[in-house]
Amino acid sequence: MANILLVEDDPDINAAFRLALSQRGHSVAGCFLGGEGVALATEVPGPDLVVLDLMLPDLDGREVCRRIRAVSQIPIIMMTARGDDADVVLGLESGADDYVVKPVEPYLLDARIRALLRRSSLPVAPAGESDVVTSGALRLDRKSLVTSINGEAVPLTATETRLLLELSKHPGQVRSREQLLRDVWGTDYLNESRMVDASIQRLRSKVERDPSQPKIIATVRGFGYRFDLQ
Amino acid sequence: MANILLVEDDPDINAAFRLALSQRGHSVAGCFLGGEGVALATEVPGPDLVVLDLMLPDLDGREVCRRIRAVSQIPIIMMTARGDDADVVLGLESGADDYVVKPVEPYLLDARIRALLRRSSLPVAPAGESDVVTSGALRLDRKSLVTSINGEAVPLTATETRLLLELSKHPGQVRSREQLLRDVWGTDYLNESRMVDASIQRLRSKVERDPSQPKIIATVRGFGYRFDLQ
DNA sequence: CTGACTTTGTCACCAACGTGTCACAGAATT
DNA sequence: AATTCTGTGACACGTTGGTGACAAAGTCAG
């Protein structure tokens, strides 16, 4: 289903949710500290969604949320025992997409996860629970971040890898330059930049058999680029 | 802030929320029936977001939700007095993005509205499950933006794709040149222009079997054009 | 700390394509 | 028959994206 990061300091609750969400088909990574959470959520390749407890020993959940939001648009669901309306509002305003109050039934959390993933246009049910993307001769291992062509490793730079990852997260869907700028570079405003074009070109030169006739990363004139499975 | 459609049959609650959301800077339209709700949510220019009561006299709120979702990816917040977890799950599964339980503090609803709008404004390409339009031999994939006839890809330009997308959002309904200008070109005032006609013609020449006898995009003399399902 | 190397953002240029406009013909409506 | 509306083809301009060069920033070994 999805790769979920659970940030929750209570070991029992942490374990319980990891189990419950796993049973519902998700792949769950858990951590106990806010600092860890920020690191894990923003690393490459990050999870598809974050479930974030508000009460953490080191950092306030809202601070965690803000730090993640500073560099990433990843979907975030906040979770807390405090059900006060004002808390909910503060949580949402610090950048969370949804807010649930403990105790939460796992199947309810799952429903909200699905709704949010649907809205975020992430595939809710990828066919195989595989962390490897392939398109033609290209093969990208999302965990080790090793890219290879015909089994031979291709040395991609960090930016190129992020770009390819981001494109491959939405196979068959057009991604605009704005989306790519946001998700790969974390900047929102560089609309005039040719950064995306330049990096796409560098990526193509390493990955495409014939970069002038790209098969894997298609140009969709007027819209953006599209990663095509083959 | 945003144009919001409120579908709520209780006149008191309806009026109260309209007032409260207006005071928070939104522009609110209210209606009392599910049928109306579907019509208003899918017309052009539609609202930015729908707040939908579950209990309506004519249609079940979930049915309203499904009908809207059949043609639109507009953000939907469901609202109901029934706070049962199972209801929430059913609501989310019928396509809603969020679910709040009455009584709701207006500022809480506002916070959820903002969170949802923030998330929804991100993608350019709309997300969702039924993202393929077909009419006769024509097939348009809204995510990959690939148009094909009898399975063979037809290269459309950006404007042609946008035009076809816009027309196909409202199958069987006449769209005026003004509406198309606004939704495809983003201009409001070029009423004297023949741009729409010219682009319709270019689109037909690529998409219609016999452009002089158009089956997919019909001319409605004096009004505009209509996309017909077949 | 230094110098070499790699990575990355910016820029300028060009070719190709897309697109708005126009004029006129043809069709529908009155 | 007159009038209004729509289809159609031509054309020139603007936009878009590919490309290579270059400079700034980052990385790393010695």
Side-chain angles (χ1 to χ4, degrees):
Chain A
M1 289 290 152
N3 293 310
I4 295 176
L5 171 64
L6 174 66
V7 189
E8 160 69 65
D9 63 316
D10 182 316
D12 293 340
I13 300 181
N14 193 307
F17 273 109
R18 282 169 65 172
L19 177 62
L21 290 177
S22 299
Q23 283 172 344
R24 298 191 156 263
H26 300 289
S27 169
V28 190
C31 75
F32 302 93
L33 295 176
E36 284 180 276
V38 175
L40 290 170
T42 56
E43 77 178 357
V44 176
D48 299 316
L49 183 144
V50 178
V51 177
L52 177 61
D53 188 36
L54 193 57
M55 307 277 272
L56 297 167
D58 58 337
L59 285 174
D60 181 68
R62 290 200 285 270
E63 181 57 27
V64 175
C65 191
R66 275 189 291 268
R67 292 195 189 181
I68 295 176
R69 270 289 170 275
V71 294
S72 166
Q73 300 296 324
I74 185 173
I76 299 177
I77 297 181
M78 257 192 198
M79 186 171 67
T80 183
R82 298 206 306 241
D84 201 313
D85 277 357
D87 286 329
V88 178
V89 172
L90 282 174
L92 293 175
E93 280 180 354
S94 59
D97 293 291
D98 201 348
Y99 196 107
V100 297
V101 177
K102 290 192 280 191
V104 195
E105 288 299 325
Y107 75 100
L108 175 62
L109 182 57
D110 183 41
R112 288 203 174 263
I113 287 171
R114 285 163 192 271
L116 183 50
L117 288 175
R118 181 165 14 101
R119 170 54 64 191
S120 311
S121 75
L122 290 170
V124 175
E129 183 56 54
S130 162
D131 275 319
V132 176
V133 200
T134 59
S135 175
L138 177 76
R139 180 191 150 98
L140 168 61
D141 186 320
R142 287 201 157 108
K143 288 219 161 114
S144 67
L145 298 183
V146 172
T147 306
S148 55
I149 291 182
N150 294 322
E152 192 176 350
V154 179
L156 294 187
T157 69
T159 308
E160 288 157 3
T161 303
R162 295 182 82 110
L163 185 55
L164 186 55
L165 262 176
E166 198 51 48
L167 286 166
S168 73
K169 269 190 197 168
H170 308 264
Q173 297 182 34
V174 175
R175 314 285 298 160
S176 71
R177 290 179 171 72
E178 287 73 24
Q179 288 176 323
L180 293 170
L181 268 177
R182 215 182 19 243
D183 295 337
V184 175
W185 283 268
T187 59
D188 221 346
Y189 62 101
L190 279 176
N191 291 356
E192 299 304 316
S193 168
R194 308 294 310 279
M195 204 49 239
V196 179
D197 300 59
S199 285
I200 287 276
Q201 191 236 335
R202 284 166 183 149
L203 181 53
R204 276 180 179 159
S205 72
K206 294 188 185 175
V207 152
E208 296 277 2
R209 169 184 297 271
D210 176 4
S212 66
Q213 298 286 324
K215 301 287 182 202
I216 299 169
I217 304 168
T219 301
V220 186
R221 196 166 242 267
F223 291 97
Y225 296 93
R226 171 163 39 82
F227 180 86
D228 281 327
L229 298 175
Q230 319 212 344
Chain B
M1 202 61 209
N3 293 309
I4 295 177
L5 172 64
L6 174 65
V7 189
E8 162 69 64
D9 63 317
D10 184 316
D12 292 340
I13 301 180
N14 192 309
F17 273 110
R18 281 167 67 173
L19 177 63
L21 291 177
S22 299
Q23 283 172 345
R24 301 192 153 263
H26 300 289
S27 168
V28 190
C31 75
F32 302 93
L33 295 176
E36 282 179 275
V38 175
L40 290 170
T42 56
E43 80 177 356
V44 170
D48 300 315
L49 183 144
V50 178
V51 177
L52 176 63
D53 188 37
L54 193 57
M55 306 278 271
L56 297 168
D58 57 335
L59 284 174
D60 182 67
R62 288 201 287 271
E63 181 57 27
V64 174
C65 190
R66 275 190 289 269
R67 292 194 190 182
I68 294 176
R69 271 288 172 275
V71 295
S72 166
Q73 300 299 325
I74 184 173
I76 298 177
I77 298 182
M78 258 193 198
M79 186 171 66
T80 182
R82 298 206 306 242
D84 201 311
D85 277 357
D87 286 329
V88 178
V89 172
L90 282 175
L92 294 174
E93 280 180 354
S94 59
D97 293 292
D98 200 348
Y99 197 106
V100 297
V101 177
K102 289 193 283 194
V104 195
E105 288 299 324
Y107 75 97
L108 175 62
L109 182 57
D110 184 40
R112 288 205 173 261
I113 286 172
R114 285 163 195 270
L116 182 50
L117 287 175
R118 175 162 21 94
R119 169 60 59 190
S120 309
S121 66
L122 290 181
V124 166
E129 34 272 352
S130 79
D131 266 330
V132 174
V133 201
T134 59
S135 174
L138 177 76
R139 179 191 149 99
L140 168 60
D141 186 320
R142 291 199 157 108
K143 281 186 171 171
S144 64
L145 300 183
V146 171
T147 306
S148 55
I149 290 182
N150 294 321
E152 193 176 351
V154 179
L156 295 188
T157 69
T159 306
E160 288 156 5
T161 303
R162 269 192 268 264
L163 186 55
L164 186 55
L165 271 174
E166 199 51 47
L167 286 166
S168 71
K169 273 189 196 166
H170 308 267
Q173 297 179 28
V174 179
R175 327 277 350 263
S176 72
R177 290 179 172 72
E178 287 73 24
Q179 288 176 322
L180 293 170
L181 269 176
R182 197 179 41 236
D183 296 334
V184 175
W185 282 267
T187 58
D188 225 346
Y189 61 101
L190 280 176
N191 291 355
E192 298 305 314
S193 168
R194 308 294 311 280
M195 274 194 298
V196 179
D197 299 61
S199 285
I200 287 279
Q201 189 244 332
R202 285 168 184 148
L203 181 53
R204 277 179 178 157
S205 73
K206 294 187 184 175
V207 152
E208 296 277 3
R209 169 183 296 271
D210 177 4
S212 66
Q213 298 287 323
K215 301 285 182 202
I216 299 169
I217 304 169
T219 301
V220 185
R221 197 183 167 80
F223 293 96
Y225 297 92
R226 172 164 39 83
F227 179 86
D228 283 327
L229 297 175
Q230 321 218 342

